[in-house]
Each structure stands twice: as C-alpha cells, then as structure tokens.
Amino acid sequence: MFIIYITILIVLPDYWFNDCDFYYIYAEGSSDYLSSERDYKFYVNEPLFHYFSYFFNRIPDYFSKVMSVFVASVFFWILYLKSSNKLSFLFGFILLIFSPYIAYAQLMTLRQGVATAFFVLIFYFVKNRKYSALLCCLLPFFHVVYFLITPVYLSYIYFFYNKSKRFIVI
C-alpha cells in the first residue's frame, strides 16, 4: 500500500504541485543566494530551507517531488506505527488522502509540509525534552509558521507535559 501511494505521488504531473516553479527556482539559485552577502534578513528568511534546497542545485527538477515523497512517507509511517488497529489505519489513510491540510502539505505547501513532517518526527520520537525543544527551535528557520507553533509546543513540554488531563482542561 505504501509503495503504491508513493508511486502515485511520484508520477503526478508537476503542475499539480502548486509552487513547483518556485521550488525549481529555489533549488537552481540556492548557491547564488547562499554565497551572497549575509545580513540579518538571511537569518530570518528561512536559512535552513535554503541550505536544504542547495542539495538539489544540480537536479532542481526533483526538488518538489522529493519534498512531497518525504512528507507523505513520514505521515504514512506515523499513521502505520500509531494506528491501534486496521480500521483506524484505514480511516487515517482516507484522511491522509482527502483531508485538505494533509493533502496540501503533500502537494502544495511543501516547505510547510516538510517542517510539519520534522515536527511530527520530533513529537513522536525525541523523548528527551531538552533535545525536543532544541530541535523544535530550529524549525522556524525552515518555515516561518513555526515562529508561532514553537512557543506553543515549548509551553506544552515545559508546563503541561506531566500534568493530568484534568489540570490542562481547567
């Protein structure tokens, strides 16, 4: 099922990927951008994404496909590992395909999707709260939306992590 799902994402036409042209430009021009003069704008303009796009400098055509496959693989893998039974997996897989936020993360808002995939990996697999906080603090430098999400996550792991659910609701 995983192989079929990923294969379908790979063979989708490029125009289905909303910002495919922009990702091509990012990948192709990343070496010029990274070698340019660095001022404060560089550090708040998602520098980790630019370093990530640099790896696709020679093959910019594959940049959006690789990001899409990475996001879909992480979402599918987490769904497979965390599903309690086959029915919940099937329901989650249907949501993986038809839920607008998850579908957009796999096809359209790829940069945010990659950052979300990293966040999900951090949330489920990094058990040390200090490392989790450190890694989460790096995510805003991949996508700017994590300047909003990271403080919420940090407040969760430092203030509400060991509290009872009753306390959190109150």
Side-chain angles (χ1 to χ4, degrees), residues 3-27:
I3 305 271
I4 294 169
Y5 180 57
I6 296 300
T7 304
I8 289 171
L9 280 176
I10 290 172
V11 298
L12 288 176
D14 283 342
Y15 62 87
W16 280 31
F17 296 89
N18 193 27
D19 295 335
C20 184
D21 297 336
F22 294 115
Y23 293 125
Y24 181 87
I25 293 168
Y26 274 123

Side-chain angles (χ1 to χ4, degrees), residues 4 8 13-15 40 52 58 65-66 79 88 93 106 110 120 135-136 141 154 156 167 170:
I4 294 169
I8 289 171
D14 283 342
Y15 62 87
Y40 70 93
F52 180 68
R58 296 178 192 239
K65 295 281 187 178
V66 168
L79 176 66
S88 65
F93 185 68
Q106 297 174 70
L110 295 175
V120 167
L135 290 172
C136 198
F141 300 107
L154 293 177
Y156 164 73
F167 174 78
I170 294 175

